């Protein structure tokens, strides 16, 4: 890219790009092979033949959960505006026949006692100010700082991301740190702060954990012994936020772009080399403007969730 084109691109970011919200990480697959994912405005359904339809319209949900009967769960989160400065939410369920009804009615505030993280027995797990609860009881007496993501195995082993590390709480309450320093950042994503470098967390049937490194275009797999491997990469302007491993072993990813669009794709093996950086995209002449644009974008992210 010629430097003057890079400067124009950076200028577009500065004056015309939309504020980047906190992306969603909800993506699930039902027993019939249908994939559901959120783009923060609705939930999409992708059939096995590739047909894409809106499954749940007009909902702002970051997470999704699918039970053993293929009932799909999510929330709708909204902000009433600066006059009242209040948030509200409701939880909905979509049955396999497409019927949608609320299971938690419209409620003031954030969701604090209903979770989309559940084991095979139906127990809910959630973050209670750093204490991981399994239903009414704590899964462990230990409190964890800055829990970003959480998932649970069918048997009740909890996996969480806290302070950039992957931690496992066994069903017996034993705590083990599996991997540390998982967070990464890229100059191509200057608006992604430390808090959002790591997004979705999911498991495969053999006990490997997967972490979407939204801050640097990649997915890391951590095996039960704590070995870390990069197993997928995304390319600018897309970066992974969530995913799952299909029954055939293939890895599917939910990706968000720098303009907060969403898409899904089946991941290929990681390619050698690094994803494009701001310098490569914009040229040396546009780097300073790109930095200024990123600063303005961050300032414009008012209450974006």
């Amino acid at each position: 890219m010629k430097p003057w084109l890079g400067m124009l691109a950076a200028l577009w970011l500065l004056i015309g790009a939309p504020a980047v919200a906190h992306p969603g990480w909800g993506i699930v697959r039902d027993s019939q092979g249908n994939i559901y994912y959120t783009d923060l405005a609705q939930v999409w359904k992708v059939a096995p033949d590739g047909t894409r339809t809106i499954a749940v319209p007009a909902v702002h949900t970051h997470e999704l959960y699918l039970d053993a009967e293929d009932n799909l769960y999510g929330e709708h989160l909204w902000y009433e505006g600066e006059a009242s400065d209040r948030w509200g939410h409701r939880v909905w369920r979509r049955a396999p026949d497409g019927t949608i009804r609320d299971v938690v009615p419209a409620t003031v505030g954030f969701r604090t006692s209903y979770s989309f993280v559940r084991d095979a027995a139906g127990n809910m797990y959630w973050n209670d100010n750093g204490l991981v609860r399994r239903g009414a009881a704590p899964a462990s007496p230990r409190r964890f700082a800055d829990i970003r993501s959480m998932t649970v195995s069918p048997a009740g082993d909890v996996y969480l991301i806290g302070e950039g590390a992957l931690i496992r709480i066994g069903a017996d309450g034993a705590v083990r740190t599996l991997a540390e320093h998982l967070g990464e950042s890229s100059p191509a994503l200057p608006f992604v702060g430390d808090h959002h470098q790591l997004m979705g967390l999911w498991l495969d049937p053999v006990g490997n954990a997967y972490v979407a490194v939204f801050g640097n275009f990649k997915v890391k797999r951590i095996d039960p012994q704590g070995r870390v491997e990069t197993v997928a990469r995304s390319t600018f302007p897309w970066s992974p936020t969530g995913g799952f491993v299909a029954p055939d072993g293939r890895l599917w990813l939910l990706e968000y772009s720098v303009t907060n669009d969403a898409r899904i794709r089946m991941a290929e093996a990681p390619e050698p080399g690094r994803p494009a950086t701001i310098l490569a995209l914009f040229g040396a002449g546009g780097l300073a403007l790109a930095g200024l644009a990123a600063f303005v974008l961050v300032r414009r992210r008012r209450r974006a969730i």
Side-chain angles (χ1 to χ4, degrees):
M1 178 181 288
K2 295 183 181 299
W4 67 269
L5 287 175
M7 295 182 70
L8 286 178
L11 186 60
W12 175 85
L13 281 171
L14 179 64
I15 64 176
V20 180
H22 182 191
W25 56 92
I27 177 172
V28 293
R29 179 189 185 275
D30 71 13
S31 63
Q32 305 303 309
N34 300 299
I35 298 173
Y36 299 87
Y37 71 95
T38 177
D39 69 359
L40 300 181
Q42 58 261 313
V43 175
W44 291 92
K45 174 184 176 181
V46 181
D49 65 2
T51 303
R52 194 173 78 133
T53 56
I54 294 176
V56 186
V59 290
H60 182 92
T61 184
H62 294 85
E63 296 180 79
L64 295 174
Y65 167 70
L66 198 68
D67 69 16
E69 286 74 42
D70 283 345
N71 294 298
L72 180 69
Y73 296 78
E75 72 175 332
H76 177 50
L77 177 68
W78 64 87
Y79 179 59
E80 294 182 355
E82 294 184 355
S84 65
D85 197 28
R86 292 197 311 180
W87 292 89
H89 75 277
R90 61 181 175 86
V91 177
W92 49 263
R93 181 179 69 189
R94 180 190 186 275
D97 65 2
T99 303
I100 302 169
R101 71 176 184 88
D102 285 351
V103 294
V104 175
T107 304
V108 174
F110 294 103
R111 176 173 47 88
T112 58
S113 59
Y114 190 99
S115 175
F116 303 124
V117 179
R118 307 182 197 179
D119 61 23
N123 296 304
M124 293 187 184
Y125 298 74
W126 65 85
N127 172 17
D128 180 11
N129 294 315
L131 183 68
V132 177
R133 291 197 176 275
R134 178 189 292 117
S140 165
R142 176 177 164 185
R143 287 189 180 271
F144 303 90
D146 191 31
I147 295 177
R148 301 302 308 139
S149 302
M150 187 161 57
T151 190
V152 63
S153 73
D157 296 316
V158 180
Y159 294 74
L160 62 90
I161 295 293
E163 296 186 333
L166 174 65
I167 299 167
R168 182 176 66 203
I169 306 173
D172 59 358
V175 177
R176 179 187 173 192
T177 298
L178 293 176
E180 296 183 291
H181 311 299
L182 294 171
E184 295 183 24
S185 62
S186 167
L189 297 172
F191 51 81
V192 178
D194 294 345
H195 202 52
H196 293 141
Q197 286 182 8
L198 303 176
M199 296 291 295
L201 173 65
W202 63 97
L203 306 174
D204 68 17
V206 296
N208 297 307
Y210 297 74
V211 180
V213 186
F214 180 61
N216 199 20
F217 304 99
K218 65 178 63 173
V219 173
K220 294 181 179 179
R221 180 174 64 202
I222 302 93
D223 71 15
Q225 288 71 47
R227 292 184 288 260
V228 181
E229 179 185 6
T230 295
V231 293
R233 294 184 187 272
S234 301
T235 54
F236 188 93
W238 301 95
S239 197
T241 62
F244 67 87
V245 177
D248 62 5
R250 295 180 178 180
L251 177 62
W252 285 84
L253 300 180
L254 171 62
E255 299 174 315
Y256 273 70
S257 73
V258 296
T259 53
N260 227 41
D261 296 314
R263 72 176 187 181
I264 66 170
R265 70 177 179 91
M266 188 175 65
E268 304 292 339
E271 298 179 359
R274 297 179 57 83
T277 64
I278 286 287
L279 185 60
L281 288 165
F282 293 155
L287 185 58
L289 270 178
L292 180 60
F295 173 77
V296 172
L297 281 174
V298 171
R299 293 293 298 271
R300 290 172 58 197
R301 292 176 64 197
R302 301 197 329 165
R303 302 187 179 277
I305 287 187

